[in-house]
Amino acid sequence: MLSHTLLLPVLLLQAAYVRRHVLHLPEPEGARSGVMGDGPVLRLLIIGDSSAAGVGVRTQNEALLGLVSQRLAGVARVEFDLVARTGAKTAEALGWLGDLPRDRYDVVVTSLGVNDVTKATPLFRWRALQGQLLDRLRAEHGARRIIVSRLPPMGQFPLLPQPLRWAMGCRARLFDRHLLRLVARRPACTPVTLTMGLNATNMSADGFHPGPAVYAAWADAICAAVLADTPLLDQIGVSA
């Protein structure tokens, strides 16, 4: 895109400035594997990047893992695992699949793409890697339902100055369109969308990661998708 090319020197300077001055938040404390609730077993995996890991809140109870597990524990015995790391790209997540804590999962939640956008993974490569990830989760780990988190609206991230915010937002939307096409071709996959706007009041202190309200809305969307999946619930014997 011509506008991106003309702005490239500014974008590079702004990106370097952000990297030097960003507030580095830790991954939250708390168990990444465990059991919650009673009843039929629902095996849950969350895999991905720093947002999957819960950066932006203090404990896993406030993060995506804790919120999703708590809500699904109302209808099932949730056996949960979190495999996530700050800075992870899709290629790294693919490398983790051989070492996952369990061989099979009923529900897998993915959160990947932001670091591929910021670290300039070529679109064609990212698309291929995402397809491999989804297919391997299904074929090798028996994932009955893969909840694919769409890319967030990076054009709303408070940390990013303009025009870098605009450029990252455009790239994230492009990646997201291709992600939706991959998901549409895979019946076991369901995309989830964060519909709330992002701003300094609901993002974390670093202006880049979710705050508690964003994690809560994201968890609501994931749980709604799981509980609306009647064939999945029937397979595992859950009465929602």
Side-chain angles (χ1 to χ4, degrees):
M1 186 182 295
L2 178 59
S3 54
H4 284 78
T5 302
L6 294 175
L7 288 170
L8 186 58
V10 174
L11 298 177
L12 291 174
L13 286 171
Q14 288 188 329
Y17 178 86
V18 168
R19 282 194 296 271
R20 286 196 304 270
H21 293 88
V22 64
L23 175 64
H24 293 285
L25 298 177
E27 295 181 0
E29 298 179 355
R32 294 190 171 209
S33 293
V35 177
M36 192 177 299
D38 296 300
V41 173
L42 188 156
R43 296 160 299 185
L44 169 69
L45 169 68
I46 296 179
I47 184 169
D49 53 21
S50 54
S51 293
V55 171
V57 293
R58 293 173 298 173
T59 69
Q60 287 296 338
N61 286 337
E62 304 169 273
L64 192 65
L65 176 69
L67 295 172
V68 171
S69 298
Q70 291 162 25
R71 292 170 194 186
L72 294 181
V75 299
R77 172 187 167 91
V78 181
E79 298 180 353
F80 60 85
D81 294 309
L82 170 65
V83 180
R85 187 171 66 231
T86 297
K89 298 189 294 183
T90 305
E92 293 166 87
L94 266 171
W96 302 337
L97 295 187
D99 298 317
L100 290 181
R102 300 174 211 275
D103 293 331
R104 301 183 68 80
Y105 289 95
D106 299 302
V107 176
V108 177
V109 178
T110 68
S111 172
L112 290 159
V114 168
N115 294 312
D116 291 281
V117 168
T118 61
K119 297 177 182 178
T121 301
L123 175 61
F124 73 91
R125 174 167 167 74
W126 181 77
R127 186 174 55 215
L129 292 170
Q130 279 283 326
Q132 291 174 39
L133 178 72
L134 299 177
D135 292 341
R136 288 184 59 188
L137 284 169
R138 178 74 170 156
E140 299 173 16
H141 296 280
R144 289 173 164 167
R145 177 58 51 192
I146 305 173
I147 307 293
V148 181
S149 302
R150 296 179 59 180
L151 273 79
M154 295 182 67
Q156 298 176 16
F157 281 12
L159 170 71
L160 303 176
Q162 296 288 14
L164 181 62
R165 185 187 301 183
W166 167 80
M168 291 292 99
C170 291
R171 186 164 172 80
R173 287 194 298 272
L174 175 62
F175 275 50
D176 190 59
R177 288 197 297 271
H178 284 267
L179 182 62
L180 285 177
R181 292 171 191 165
L182 289 173
V183 169
R185 295 198 293 266
R186 292 166 170 82
C189 297
T190 300
V192 294
T193 305
L194 187 64
T195 57
M196 69 188 303
L198 303 181
N199 53 58
T201 67
N202 58 29
M203 294 287 278
S204 68
D206 68 1
F208 193 83
H209 290 95
V214 179
Y215 277 119
W218 187 6
D220 283 343
I222 291 168
C223 291
V226 173
L227 296 176
D229 191 340
T230 302
L232 168 67
L233 301 183
D234 289 343
Q235 285 177 337
I236 61 180
V238 169
S239 176

